[in-house]
Amino acid sequence: MVQKRETEFDALLVLSFGGPEKPEDVRPFLENVTRGRGVPPERLDAVAQHYLHFGGVSPINALNRDIIARVEAALSEAGVDLPVYFGNRNWHPMVEDTVAQMAADGVRSALVFPTSAWGGYSGCRQYHEDIARARAAFGDAAPHLVKLRQYYDHPLLIDAFADAVREATTQLPAETRAGARLVFTAHSVPAAADANAGPPDEGGNLYSRQVAEAARLIAHAAGFGDFDLVWQSRSGPPQVPWLEPDICDHLEALAAQEVRSVINCPVGFVSDHLEVVWDLDTEAREKAADVGIDFVRAATPGTDPRFAELVLELMGEHLDGRPARRLGTEPLLGSTSDGSSCAVDCCKAVVRPAGRPAHTH
């Protein structure tokens, strides 16, 4: 655990995507998400129905508040006196307002924990942009903000996912459990965005490489020698290439191979966001039933006690200078100051097609 000590950091900021918390929030939220991208109103209307299916409430804010409460408890237990703040990119509490409140409270320098474990534009660089925008909105007296690194391969995250996979396996009917196929999913992104993910001299595709590595680590830890990695939640016109195959198409292909049961691990998500409860628990589950596959979904790690411990360990790399604990071999990136990028042209934005945004968190 992090030990009590004097530190240059006064606070922790948990930075996330944001989501509506009542029906009247849904349309303004979606307009925030898609502003400047030319998304037609009818597309927003269609996506709004996904939120309204759940009463106009996205799970994300409540789940993030739960993570914050767990982190606060873990910090207190460790004897670390740092307040925890919450800010979002697209809905209240907006990160600009949170940074202003931090400054008013006397915070001079804070660590920033993003609710995305990944590299890539949506998974990492956009969080740097959030930090830079929030500081610019306040001005020169804004707190100094240091983003924590990518953590897709942290042992605590891998172990939490692996335990969730094992638990999900027990939920399958006994007659189909032995032949169950382990299928990992993460949020699809445009192929061009993935090609630009990472520093240019690293060859690109950092996001999909990290997802593949995390899937391999989880499968091994859970005792599976084989697995599939597919994608979910794509949007935009079909002529624009995105990472594929899609989970629903893959379920049809597995049914044709006479696979009778699937364990789905949503490796790309730390919590049960709308993309989990709609795209997996609703659409993918319905598709599995249609093609005769028993379908179970592994839990996301955000509510696991180890997740708060993971946050403290990432903080400890800055508070105590402890070495990074990780299992993967991809570049260790993501930690920069005040919204700077990891490298020149790292994870450059690409023009994304109109549709639901690609976000990975």
Side-chain angles (χ1 to χ4, degrees):
M1 302 295 286
V2 181
Q3 299 299 310
K4 186 174 183 178
R5 62 187 289 270
E6 292 298 319
T7 172
E8 64 179 295
F9 297 102
D10 305 315
L12 172 70
L13 168 61
V14 174
L15 180 57
S16 194
F17 188 84
E21 298 190 85
K22 54 185 182 297
E24 52 266 40
D25 292 348
V26 172
R27 189 57 181 259
F29 162 74
L30 291 174
E31 289 170 356
N32 282 348
V33 173
T34 59
R35 182 167 288 114
R37 292 179 48 206
V39 178
E42 56 271 21
R43 177 57 184 162
L44 295 186
D45 292 339
V47 176
Q49 292 305 311
H50 298 169
Y51 289 92
L52 294 173
H53 179 82
F54 299 100
V57 179
S58 168
I60 188 171
N61 274 358
L63 291 166
N64 283 331
R65 292 187 182 104
D66 180 70
I67 289 171
I68 288 169
R70 292 171 184 268
V71 170
E72 288 173 332
L75 286 170
S76 177
E77 182 180 348
V80 179
D81 185 18
L82 289 180
V84 183
Y85 292 83
F86 178 28
N88 285 322
R89 179 183 306 152
N90 295 299
W91 199 246
H92 307 287
M94 302 296 288
V95 65
E96 293 89 342
D97 297 332
T98 301
V99 169
Q101 183 61 55
M102 292 167 69
D105 292 344
V107 174
R108 298 159 299 168
S109 186
L111 295 169
V112 181
F113 174 75
T115 58
S116 167
W118 311 102
Y121 178 72
S122 297
C124 185
R125 180 158 179 165
Q126 204 165 9
Y127 286 89
H128 296 303
E129 293 176 358
D130 296 336
I131 290 168
R133 185 183 67 254
R135 295 189 76 252
F138 187 80
D140 293 341
H144 174 57
L145 300 175
V146 176
K147 179 179 171 291
L148 299 174
R149 66 172 174 88
Q150 297 156 13
Y151 51 92
Y152 75 97
D153 63 347
H154 195 287
L156 292 172
L157 187 75
I158 299 301
D159 287 347
F161 266 125
D163 286 348
V165 167
R166 283 190 285 263
E167 172 59 29
T169 304
T170 68
Q171 300 169 22
L172 285 169
E175 60 270 22
T176 63
R177 189 179 307 156
R181 187 71 179 170
L182 177 58
V183 178
F184 291 92
T185 54
H187 205 304
S188 187
V189 298
D194 189 50
N196 283 340
D201 60 357
E202 294 287 346
N205 303 110
L206 181 65
Y207 171 59
S208 60
R209 285 170 19 215
Q210 289 178 339
V211 172
E213 189 159 51
R216 176 184 62 80
L217 292 167
I218 294 164
H220 177 76
F224 284 78
D226 199 10
F227 64 90
D228 299 330
L229 171 59
V230 300
W231 306 92
Q232 62 171 91
S233 310
R234 71 151 290 162
S235 63
Q239 65 269 24
V240 177
W242 283 53
L243 298 180
E244 53 185 24
D246 178 77
I247 176 62
C248 289
D249 295 337
H250 188 62
L251 288 170
E252 289 186 347
L254 290 178
Q257 299 167 26
E258 300 186 351
V259 171
R260 297 182 59 199
S261 61
V262 162
I263 306 151
N264 171 223
C265 178
V267 63
F269 302 89
V270 302
S271 295
D272 287 5
H273 305 149
L274 189 80
E275 291 86 351
V276 175
V277 298
W278 175 262
D279 297 344
L280 297 178
D281 293 350
T282 305
E283 290 187 333
R285 189 178 301 277
E286 290 176 355
K287 172 61 70 172
D290 288 345
V291 298
I293 288 178
D294 294 325
F295 181 92
V296 293
R297 196 261 295 171
T300 49
T303 56
D304 189 298
R306 287 169 289 193
F307 196 75
E309 185 180 347
L310 180 156
V311 177
L312 262 65
E313 285 202 12
L314 295 177
M315 295 174 66
E317 294 173 16
H318 295 266
L319 299 177
D320 298 325
R322 67 177 61 189
R325 279 215 301 151
R326 56 192 305 255
L327 299 173
T329 59
E330 294 295 345
L332 185 61
L333 299 168
S335 181
T336 71
S337 299
D338 296 335
S340 58
S341 61
C342 297
V344 175
D345 289 336
C346 186
C347 299
K348 292 188 298 183
V350 297
V351 177
R352 294 199 299 270
R356 187 168 58 184
H359 52 96
T360 52
H361 48 256

